Amino acid sequence: MTSGKPLVIVTRRLPDIVETRMRELFNAELNMNDRPMSQDELVAAVKRAQILVPTVTDRIDVSVLSHAGPQLKLIANFGTGVDNIDLETARNRGIIVTNTPGVLTEDTADMTMALILAVPRRLTEGAMLLKTDEAAWEGWSPTWMLGRRIYGKRLGIIGLGRIGQAVARRARAFGLQIHYHNRRQVAEEIEQELAATYWESLDQMLARMDIISVNCPHTPATYHLLSARRLNLLKPTAYIVNTARGEVIDENALARMVDAGEIAGAGLDVFEHEPAINPRLLKSNRVVVLPHMGSATIEGRVEMGEKVIINMKTFLDGHAPPDRVHPAMF
Ligand code: 8YV
């Protein structure tokens, strides 16, 4: 018997423990086949749901939100990035938006560090070679499969928020020098802890770094922040790692430049038009591509689900949900 409980529509499958709890607490409509919803299905959902739980694969834009019924009061996003949601339109329609910050910080920073290590040291290239053609290895050679040293190099972090700082902590342990560009300079204690150098000018920072890590959200202000012009400022020996959002980099320009040897390589967990990936990036030996796995740990996904539930419960109990997102924050 579910009557009396608020209708919550969840767009994708979530970990079992999260779905079970949602069933207990709400009239939860779950997506058992996990197929991403079409825009028409999203429209149908916002016409009926009191709370919508979308993910990065749902585009909750104005064409969806303009059909929202007056009963839709909360969009509790399963994810930290909220670029899949038109925040301005949601606010104008009196719909609260929440996200899941904090719980995926360490996992995403681990994956970022893994890419920072993997790309210059040609880790997947070497591993793939043995998997696909063991005979291609004739034995150790002093000059074969040489990569670039990581220790002592300059890491430029774009966006020194929670994840950026967690990346910096790890990178310091590997002997990287920490540089960053951010909308605002971070507190002095954080800069001191990370021995981080602030660059007000992104252009100037780009020209001097050995590795760039993108850790800022995708917003109108960061769309193609790494444009063709800015990518051209990088040293040809520089590497780029992106575990944030594909839209922050002009993907076609990056693909062209990696192919032309104007950038040494890239480690990408996110893409501009997911799940599509520029074929040049896919093919290049100098590029490590991952299918958006930054937060993909069992622990992380359960904690994200728990955060979604806390936001919904708090809201339904008549209080301000803890992870409320305001358009100005993004
Ligand atoms: C999530 C992410 O898996 O939270 C984010 O912003 O990019 C991912 O780690 C995804 O967004 C879930 O909706």
Side-chain angles (χ1 to χ4, degrees), residues 54-92:
T55 74
V56 68
T57 54
D58 307 300
R59 231 180 51 245
I60 316 295
D61 57 15
V62 64
S63 71
V64 170
L65 287 175
S66 59
H67 291 97
Q71 82 296 329
L72 182 71
K73 294 283 183 243
L74 174 67
I75 298 175
N77 195 48
F78 182 88
T80 301
V82 284
D83 53 331
N84 54 317
I85 303 168
D86 180 342
L87 298 177
E88 209 63 61
T89 304
R91 185 183 55 188
N92 292 340

CSV table of all heavy atoms in Angstrom, one decimal, residues 54-92:
chain,number,residue,atom,x,y,z
A,54,PRO,N,16.8,12.6,-10.9
A,54,PRO,CA,17.5,12.4,-12.2
A,54,PRO,C,19.0,12.1,-12.0
A,54,PRO,O,19.5,12.2,-10.9
A,54,PRO,CB,17.3,13.7,-12.9
A,54,PRO,CG,17.2,14.7,-11.9
A,54,PRO,CD,16.8,14.1,-10.6
A,55,THR,N,19.7,11.8,-13.1
A,55,THR,CA,21.1,11.6,-13.1
A,55,THR,C,21.7,12.5,-14.2
A,55,THR,O,20.9,13.1,-15.0
A,55,THR,CB,21.5,10.2,-13.3
A,55,THR,OG1,21.3,9.8,-14.6
A,55,THR,CG2,20.7,9.2,-12.4
A,56,VAL,N,23.0,12.3,-14.4
A,56,VAL,CA,23.7,13.1,-15.4
A,56,VAL,C,23.1,12.8,-16.8
A,56,VAL,O,23.3,13.6,-17.8
A,56,VAL,CB,25.2,12.8,-15.3
A,56,VAL,CG1,25.5,11.4,-15.7
A,56,VAL,CG2,26.0,13.8,-16.2
A,57,THR,N,22.5,11.6,-17.0
A,57,THR,CA,22.0,11.2,-18.4
A,57,THR,C,20.7,11.8,-18.7
A,57,THR,O,20.1,11.5,-19.8
A,57,THR,CB,22.0,9.7,-18.5
A,57,THR,OG1,21.2,9.1,-17.4
A,57,THR,CG2,23.3,9.1,-18.5
A,58,ASP,N,20.1,12.6,-17.8
A,58,ASP,CA,18.7,13.2,-18.0
A,58,ASP,C,18.9,14.7,-18.3
A,58,ASP,O,19.5,15.4,-17.4
A,58,ASP,CB,17.8,13.0,-16.8
A,58,ASP,CG,17.8,11.5,-16.5
A,58,ASP,OD1,17.3,10.7,-17.3
A,58,ASP,OD2,18.1,11.2,-15.3
A,59,ARG,N,18.4,15.2,-19.4
A,59,ARG,CA,18.5,16.6,-19.7
A,59,ARG,C,17.2,17.3,-19.2
A,59,ARG,O,16.2,17.2,-19.9
A,59,ARG,CB,18.7,16.9,-21.1
A,59,ARG,CG,19.9,17.8,-21.4
A,59,ARG,CD,20.1,18.1,-22.8
A,59,ARG,NE,19.0,18.5,-23.6
A,59,ARG,CZ,18.4,17.7,-24.6
A,59,ARG,NH1,18.9,16.6,-24.9
A,59,ARG,NH2,17.3,18.2,-25.2
A,60,ILE,N,17.2,17.9,-18.0
A,60,ILE,CA,16.0,18.5,-17.4
A,60,ILE,C,16.1,20.0,-17.8
A,60,ILE,O,16.4,20.8,-17.0
A,60,ILE,CB,16.0,18.3,-15.9
A,60,ILE,CG1,16.4,16.9,-15.5
A,60,ILE,CG2,14.6,18.7,-15.3
A,60,ILE,CD1,15.4,15.8,-15.9
A,61,ASP,N,15.8,20.2,-19.1
A,61,ASP,CA,15.9,21.6,-19.6
A,61,ASP,C,14.5,22.3,-19.6
A,61,ASP,O,13.5,21.7,-19.1
A,61,ASP,CB,16.5,21.6,-21.0
A,61,ASP,CG,15.7,20.7,-22.0
A,61,ASP,OD1,14.6,20.3,-21.6
A,61,ASP,OD2,16.3,20.3,-23.0
A,62,VAL,N,14.5,23.4,-20.2
A,62,VAL,CA,13.3,24.2,-20.2
A,62,VAL,C,12.1,23.5,-20.9
A,62,VAL,O,10.9,23.6,-20.5
A,62,VAL,CB,13.5,25.7,-20.7
A,62,VAL,CG1,13.9,25.6,-22.2
A,62,VAL,CG2,12.3,26.6,-20.5
A,63,SER,N,12.4,22.7,-21.9
A,63,SER,CA,11.4,22.0,-22.6
A,63,SER,C,10.7,20.9,-21.8
A,63,SER,O,9.6,20.6,-22.0
A,63,SER,CB,11.9,21.4,-24.0
A,63,SER,OG,12.7,20.3,-23.7
A,64,VAL,N,11.5,20.4,-20.8
A,64,VAL,CA,10.9,19.5,-19.9
A,64,VAL,C,10.2,20.2,-18.7
A,64,VAL,O,9.0,20.0,-18.4
A,64,VAL,CB,12.0,18.5,-19.3
A,64,VAL,CG1,11.5,17.7,-18.1
A,64,VAL,CG2,12.5,17.6,-20.4
A,65,LEU,N,10.9,21.2,-18.2
A,65,LEU,CA,10.4,21.9,-17.0
A,65,LEU,C,9.1,22.7,-17.2
A,65,LEU,O,8.3,22.9,-16.3
A,65,LEU,CB,11.5,22.8,-16.4
A,65,LEU,CG,12.6,22.0,-15.6
A,65,LEU,CD1,13.7,23.0,-15.2
A,65,LEU,CD2,12.0,21.2,-14.4
A,66,SER,N,9.0,23.1,-18.5
A,66,SER,CA,7.8,23.9,-18.8
A,66,SER,C,6.5,23.0,-18.7
A,66,SER,O,5.4,23.6,-18.6
A,66,SER,CB,7.9,24.6,-20.2
A,66,SER,OG,8.1,23.6,-21.1
A,67,HIS,N,6.7,21.7,-18.7
A,67,HIS,CA,5.5,20.8,-18.5
A,67,HIS,C,5.3,20.4,-17.1
A,67,HIS,O,4.4,19.6,-16.8
A,67,HIS,CB,5.7,19.6,-19.4
A,67,HIS,CG,5.6,19.9,-20.9
A,67,HIS,ND1,6.7,20.1,-21.7
A,67,HIS,CD2,4.5,20.1,-21.6
A,67,HIS,CE1,6.3,20.4,-22.9
A,67,HIS,NE2,5.0,20.4,-22.9
A,68,ALA,N,6.2,20.8,-16.2
A,68,ALA,CA,6.1,20.3,-14.8
A,68,ALA,C,4.8,20.8,-14.2
A,68,ALA,O,4.3,21.9,-14.3
A,68,ALA,CB,7.3,20.9,-14.0
A,69,GLY,N,4.1,19.8,-13.5
A,69,GLY,CA,2.9,20.1,-12.8
A,69,GLY,C,3.2,20.9,-11.5
A,69,GLY,O,4.3,20.8,-11.1
A,70,PRO,N,2.2,21.5,-11.0
A,70,PRO,CA,2.4,22.3,-9.7
A,70,PRO,C,2.8,21.4,-8.5
A,70,PRO,O,3.3,21.9,-7.5
A,70,PRO,CB,1.0,22.9,-9.5
A,70,PRO,CG,0.0,22.1,-10.3
A,70,PRO,CD,0.8,21.5,-11.4
A,71,GLN,N,2.6,20.0,-8.7
A,71,GLN,CA,3.0,19.1,-7.6
A,71,GLN,C,4.5,18.9,-7.5
A,71,GLN,O,5.0,18.4,-6.5
A,71,GLN,CB,2.2,17.8,-7.7
A,71,GLN,CG,2.8,16.8,-8.7
A,71,GLN,CD,2.9,17.2,-10.2
A,71,GLN,OE1,2.0,18.0,-10.6
A,71,GLN,NE2,3.9,16.8,-10.9
A,72,LEU,N,5.2,19.2,-8.6
A,72,LEU,CA,6.7,19.0,-8.6
A,72,LEU,C,7.4,20.1,-7.8
A,72,LEU,O,7.4,21.2,-8.2
A,72,LEU,CB,7.3,18.9,-10.0
A,72,LEU,CG,8.8,18.6,-10.1
A,72,LEU,CD1,9.1,17.2,-9.7
A,72,LEU,CD2,9.4,19.0,-11.4
A,73,LYS,N,7.9,19.7,-6.7
A,73,LYS,CA,8.5,20.7,-5.8
A,73,LYS,C,10.0,20.5,-5.6
A,73,LYS,O,10.7,21.4,-5.1
A,73,LYS,CB,7.8,20.6,-4.4
A,73,LYS,CG,6.4,20.9,-4.4
A,73,LYS,CD,6.2,22.4,-4.4
A,73,LYS,CE,4.8,22.9,-4.4
A,73,LYS,NZ,4.3,23.6,-5.6
A,74,LEU,N,10.5,19.3,-5.9
A,74,LEU,CA,11.9,19.0,-5.6
A,74,LEU,C,12.5,18.2,-6.7
A,74,LEU,O,11.9,17.2,-7.1
A,74,LEU,CB,12.1,18.3,-4.3
A,74,LEU,CG,13.5,17.8,-3.9
A,74,LEU,CD1,14.4,19.0,-3.6
A,74,LEU,CD2,13.4,17.0,-2.6
A,75,ILE,N,13.7,18.6,-7.2
A,75,ILE,CA,14.5,17.7,-8.1
A,75,ILE,C,15.8,17.4,-7.3
A,75,ILE,O,16.6,18.2,-7.0
A,75,ILE,CB,14.9,18.4,-9.4
A,75,ILE,CG1,13.6,18.8,-10.2
A,75,ILE,CG2,15.8,17.6,-10.2
A,75,ILE,CD1,13.9,19.6,-11.4
A,76,ALA,N,15.8,16.1,-6.8
A,76,ALA,CA,16.9,15.7,-6.0
A,76,ALA,C,17.9,14.9,-6.9
A,76,ALA,O,17.8,13.7,-7.1
A,76,ALA,CB,16.4,14.8,-4.9
A,77,ASN,N,18.9,15.6,-7.4
A,77,ASN,CA,19.8,15.1,-8.4
A,77,ASN,C,20.7,14.0,-7.8
A,77,ASN,O,21.3,14.3,-6.7
A,77,ASN,CB,20.6,16.2,-9.0
A,77,ASN,CG,21.4,15.8,-10.3
A,77,ASN,OD1,20.7,15.2,-11.2
A,77,ASN,ND2,22.6,16.1,-10.4
A,78,PHE,N,20.8,12.9,-8.4
A,78,PHE,CA,21.8,11.8,-8.0
A,78,PHE,C,23.1,12.2,-8.7
A,78,PHE,O,23.4,11.7,-9.8
A,78,PHE,CB,21.3,10.5,-8.4
A,78,PHE,CG,22.1,9.3,-8.0
A,78,PHE,CD1,22.0,8.7,-6.8
A,78,PHE,CD2,23.1,8.8,-8.9
A,78,PHE,CE1,22.8,7.6,-6.4
A,78,PHE,CE2,23.9,7.7,-8.5
A,78,PHE,CZ,23.7,7.2,-7.2
A,79,GLY,N,23.9,13.0,-8.1
A,79,GLY,CA,25.1,13.5,-8.7
A,79,GLY,C,25.5,14.9,-8.2
A,79,GLY,O,24.5,15.6,-7.7
A,80,THR,N,26.7,15.2,-8.3
A,80,THR,CA,27.1,16.6,-7.8
A,80,THR,C,27.0,17.6,-8.8
A,80,THR,O,26.4,18.7,-8.6
A,80,THR,CB,28.6,16.5,-7.3
A,80,THR,OG1,28.7,15.5,-6.3
A,80,THR,CG2,29.1,17.8,-6.8
A,81,GLY,N,27.4,17.3,-10.1
A,81,GLY,CA,27.2,18.3,-11.2
A,81,GLY,C,25.8,18.4,-11.5
A,81,GLY,O,25.0,17.4,-11.5
A,82,VAL,N,25.3,19.7,-11.7
A,82,VAL,CA,23.9,19.9,-11.9
A,82,VAL,C,23.7,20.6,-13.3
A,82,VAL,O,22.7,21.2,-13.5
A,82,VAL,CB,23.2,20.7,-10.8
A,82,VAL,CG1,22.9,19.9,-9.6
A,82,VAL,CG2,24.0,21.9,-10.5
A,83,ASP,N,24.7,20.4,-14.2
A,83,ASP,CA,24.6,21.0,-15.5
A,83,ASP,C,23.6,20.3,-16.4
A,83,ASP,O,23.2,20.8,-17.4
A,83,ASP,CB,26.0,21.0,-16.2
A,83,ASP,CG,26.6,19.7,-16.3
A,83,ASP,OD1,26.4,18.8,-15.4
A,83,ASP,OD2,27.4,19.4,-17.2
A,84,ASN,N,23.0,19.2,-15.9
A,84,ASN,CA,21.9,18.5,-16.6
A,84,ASN,C,20.6,19.2,-16.3
A,84,ASN,O,19.6,18.8,-16.9
A,84,ASN,CB,21.9,17.0,-16.2
A,84,ASN,CG,21.8,16.8,-14.7
A,84,ASN,OD1,22.5,17.5,-14.0
A,84,ASN,ND2,21.0,15.9,-14.3
A,85,ILE,N,20.6,20.1,-15.4
A,85,ILE,CA,19.3,20.8,-15.0
A,85,ILE,C,19.3,22.3,-15.3
A,85,ILE,O,20.3,22.9,-15.0
A,85,ILE,CB,19.1,20.5,-13.5
A,85,ILE,CG1,19.1,19.0,-13.2
A,85,ILE,CG2,17.8,21.2,-13.0
A,85,ILE,CD1,19.2,18.7,-11.7
A,86,ASP,N,18.3,22.8,-15.8
A,86,ASP,CA,18.2,24.2,-16.0
A,86,ASP,C,17.8,24.9,-14.7
A,86,ASP,O,16.6,24.9,-14.3
A,86,ASP,CB,17.1,24.5,-17.1
A,86,ASP,CG,16.9,26.0,-17.4
A,86,ASP,OD1,17.4,26.8,-16.5
A,86,ASP,OD2,16.4,26.3,-18.4
A,87,LEU,N,18.8,25.3,-13.9
A,87,LEU,CA,18.6,25.8,-12.5
A,87,LEU,C,17.7,27.0,-12.5
A,87,LEU,O,16.9,27.2,-11.6
A,87,LEU,CB,19.9,26.1,-11.9
A,87,LEU,CG,20.9,24.9,-11.7
A,87,LEU,CD1,22.2,25.4,-11.1
A,87,LEU,CD2,20.2,23.8,-10.8
A,88,GLU,N,17.9,27.9,-13.5
A,88,GLU,CA,17.2,29.2,-13.5
A,88,GLU,C,15.7,28.9,-13.7
A,88,GLU,O,14.9,29.5,-13.0
A,88,GLU,CB,17.7,30.0,-14.7
A,88,GLU,CG,17.6,31.5,-14.5
A,88,GLU,CD,18.5,32.0,-13.4
A,88,GLU,OE1,19.7,31.8,-13.4
A,88,GLU,OE2,17.9,32.6,-12.5
A,89,THR,N,15.4,28.1,-14.7
A,89,THR,CA,13.9,27.8,-14.9
A,89,THR,C,13.3,27.1,-13.7
A,89,THR,O,12.2,27.4,-13.3
A,89,THR,CB,13.8,26.9,-16.2
A,89,THR,OG1,14.4,27.5,-17.2
A,89,THR,CG2,12.3,26.6,-16.5
A,90,ALA,N,14.1,26.1,-13.1
A,90,ALA,CA,13.6,25.5,-11.9
A,90,ALA,C,13.3,26.5,-10.8
A,90,ALA,O,12.2,26.5,-10.2
A,90,ALA,CB,14.6,24.4,-11.4
A,91,ARG,N,14.2,27.4,-10.6
A,91,ARG,CA,14.0,28.4,-9.5
A,91,ARG,C,12.7,29.3,-9.9
A,91,ARG,O,11.9,29.5,-9.0
A,91,ARG,CB,15.2,29.3,-9.4
A,91,ARG,CG,15.0,30.3,-8.2
A,91,ARG,CD,16.0,31.3,-8.0
A,91,ARG,NE,16.3,32.1,-9.2
A,91,ARG,CZ,17.3,32.9,-9.3
A,91,ARG,NH1,18.2,33.1,-8.3
A,91,ARG,NH2,17.5,33.6,-10.3
A,92,ASN,N,12.6,29.7,-11.1
A,92,ASN,CA,11.5,30.5,-11.5
A,92,ASN,C,10.2,29.8,-11.3
A,92,ASN,O,9.1,30.4,-11.1
A,92,ASN,CB,11.6,31.0,-12.9
A,92,ASN,CG,12.8,32.0,-13.1
A,92,ASN,OD1,13.2,32.6,-12.1
A,92,ASN,ND2,13.3,32.1,-14.3
